[in-house]
Amino acid sequence: MASAPKVALKECRESPSQVVKKAEALVNQIRKSKHFIVFTGAGVSTSAGIPDFRGPDGNWTLRAQGKPRTKHANTLQAIPTLSHMALVELQNRGILKHLISQNCDGLHRRSGILPEMISELHGNSNREYCKDCDKEYMRDFRAVSTYERGDHDHRTGRKCARCGGTLLDSIVNFDEQLPARDLNLGRENAQMADLCLVLGSSLTVTPANGIPEIVGQRKGATLAICNLQETPIDGLADIRVFSEADILMAKVMEKLGLSIPPFILRRRLVVNVETQSEDRHRITVTGVDSDGTPVTFLQAIRLEGSRRVARAEPYVICMRESLQMGAQLKFDLEFMGHYNEPNLELVHEYNGSEEVLYLLQYDPEAGVWVVERPQS
């Protein structure tokens, strides 16, 4: 069961000058590092409006006090924080080698962290998988069980599109084992790491907290911890910062001479046209992740000139008319709208039976979509 003391550990904040000094020490280690990993907890998401667990107003602290949980931002509408986006930039530049996270809010993946770059130890509220064939699905909605039969009933009520098996959520509840792939990958990277940075974790949950401990106990490796409260392995830390994650990461990126990119919602869309005869065509539109995992982010698809509106996956539209090479198919794409995304007109040029990938980028600040078709 979730637990925390009724009186939370005191939060401490170092002076700005002390944070700058420790950021400089951390940057020196990053520049020398050959295998830099980061371990994150709830503290990286608090500035997005998502509460932590063991802080003064954390969910488990309030539960121990018999108080209701803190109201928080909808995780589907939350904007990834400065820390999230700094980690994306470090990943994209090849500086960050692996990210291990205890968070299940989905913000790391939405921010742009690649699936092969992250170990999500406690699951992801937007990811479900088939219990029979292990096929994974990413959703732009909370793919979480209602737990009608208890905490260990992970059925989401959906079926696998590949084999028809039962889909389960990926959330790890208390007293459940961590996913073997994520735990093993996290441990393997900790064994290789010469530098591990912990951001916003109390490091009190086992066995997850054993991963940064691997680095802290190894001679020649550096462990840095940034958290407002003390942690059980502070004694192993070479650099200990009492600060919000965003404040430290802003200074680290500044000292590295790197800009922190704004959050851009990125989607990958595949349009597949199968020409069955001169006047019969089957068009399938599918969301995919960079590793081929199906991603659900559309509500409906309309094709100009067609009465039929595709409202359920797989999004299939059948055309019964001749198509000339170079003909333009105009799709109206309707999204889930968590970031107030407007509909997008996607123009697809017909060049026979083929599968075409489109990269869709949405800027929540500007409210504008940009479409790119990568060169094959």
Side-chain angles (χ1 to χ4, degrees):
M1 294 293 290
S3 63
K6 289 185 177 181
V7 179
L9 290 175
K10 182 182 178 181
E11 291 186 342
C12 302
R13 289 173 175 80
E14 296 183 273
S15 67
S17 61
Q18 280 294 100
V19 174
V20 169
K21 182 178 178 181
K22 292 179 179 180
E24 290 173 346
L26 178 56
V27 166
N28 289 336
Q29 293 300 317
I30 292 173
R31 288 190 170 130
K32 294 188 296 183
S33 174
K34 303 295 183 187
H35 198 90
F36 171 42
I37 67 172
V38 173
F39 182 98
T40 63
V44 296
S45 296
T46 52
S47 61
I50 301 171
D52 59 21
F53 293 97
R54 293 172 176 81
D57 296 313
N59 281 329
W60 299 155
T61 302
L62 295 176
R63 179 175 176 170
Q65 296 171 352
K67 298 178 180 178
R69 287 187 173 195
T70 304
K71 290 185 178 180
H72 58 81
N74 183 331
T75 57
L76 294 169
Q77 298 173 326
I79 298 288
T81 68
L82 181 150
S83 294
H84 286 104
M85 299 314 301
L87 295 176
V88 171
E89 181 68 7
L90 294 175
Q91 166 199 258
N92 293 345
R93 289 182 175 268
I95 297 170
L96 175 64
K97 303 304 182 186
H98 198 69
L99 173 63
I100 301 112
S101 181
Q102 296 173 287
N103 298 341
C104 53
D105 54 33
L107 289 183
H108 278 309
R109 289 297 312 279
R110 210 173 312 148
S111 69
I113 294 294
L114 298 171
E116 65 271 19
M117 285 289 294
I118 186 170
S119 295
E120 293 182 298
L121 299 180
H122 294 158
N124 183 324
S125 60
N126 304 129
R127 176 165 52 88
E128 57 186 334
Y129 68 97
C130 176
K131 76 176 184 64
D132 294 327
C133 71
D134 287 329
K135 181 69 175 176
E136 289 193 342
Y137 298 84
M138 292 294 296
R139 313 293 194 185
D140 201 17
F141 54 79
R142 281 180 54 80
V144 178
S145 170
T146 57
Y147 300 110
E148 291 181 4
R149 298 184 182 178
D151 290 346
H152 304 309
D153 177 13
H154 289 271
R155 295 172 302 165
T156 64
R158 286 174 288 277
K159 297 293 183 180
C160 177
R162 182 165 72 179
C163 75
T166 299
L167 294 185
L168 308 177
D169 72 34
S170 61
I171 302 299
V172 177
N173 293 320
F174 281 87
D175 300 322
E176 292 182 334
Q177 291 187 338
L178 302 192
R181 174 263 181 198
D182 296 89
L183 182 58
N184 292 338
L185 195 55
R187 285 172 172 168
E188 287 170 9
N189 276 274
Q191 293 288 356
M192 293 186 287
D194 52 16
L195 174 61
C196 174
L197 169 62
V198 175
L199 288 174
S201 174
S202 65
L203 296 174
T204 57
V205 179
T206 59
N209 61 357
I211 291 177
E213 193 172 8
I214 291 172
V215 182
Q217 290 178 335
R218 196 169 69 254
K219 187 176 181 180
T222 299
L223 175 63
I225 299 176
C226 174
N227 196 55
L228 291 173
Q229 298 169 309
E230 292 181 350
T231 82
I233 64 170
D234 279 358
L236 297 176
D238 303 280
I239 302 172
R240 184 59 173 94
V241 190
F242 288 92
S243 168
E244 285 85 355
D246 284 358
I247 292 175
L248 175 66
M249 290 309 297
K251 295 299 180 185
V252 166
M253 297 298 281
E254 178 186 326
K255 299 297 179 183
L256 285 171
L258 300 176
S259 298
I260 298 173
F263 168 60
I264 301 294
L265 183 66
R266 302 177 192 275
R267 302 301 195 192
R268 297 165 64 90
L269 191 76
V270 171
V271 176
N272 185 23
V273 180
E274 297 177 75
T275 299
Q276 299 167 325
S277 65
E278 183 180 345
D279 61 350
R280 293 178 68 90
H281 311 275
R282 188 176 192 270
I283 305 168
T284 306
V285 181
T286 310
V288 295
D289 207 342
S290 60
D291 62 351
T293 299
V295 181
T296 302
F297 54 79
L298 293 168
Q299 289 207 97
I301 297 174
R302 299 168 180 83
L303 175 63
E304 186 179 80
S306 174
R307 292 182 180 181
R308 183 173 179 273
V309 179
R311 297 187 182 278
E313 294 178 306
Y315 296 107
V316 177
I317 297 174
C318 294
M319 287 187 66
R320 295 192 176 186
E321 62 181 84
S322 296
L323 282 176
Q324 301 297 319
M325 289 294 181
Q328 291 188 337
L329 302 176
K330 296 182 180 180
F331 298 96
D332 182 63
L333 307 180
E334 181 182 345
F335 300 88
M336 297 291 181
H338 302 305
Y339 295 112
N340 298 314
E341 309 99 286
N343 286 16
L344 169 66
E345 181 183 78
L346 178 72
V347 180
H348 175 77
E349 185 176 295
Y350 173 70
N351 286 301
S353 293
E354 63 173 349
E355 188 173 275
V356 177
L357 171 68
Y358 292 94
L359 303 182
L360 316 180
Q361 301 180 38
Y362 176 69
D363 183 346
E365 289 290 325
V368 175
W369 282 104
V370 174
V371 180
E372 177 186 350
R373 177 174 171 174
Q375 296 298 318
S376 56

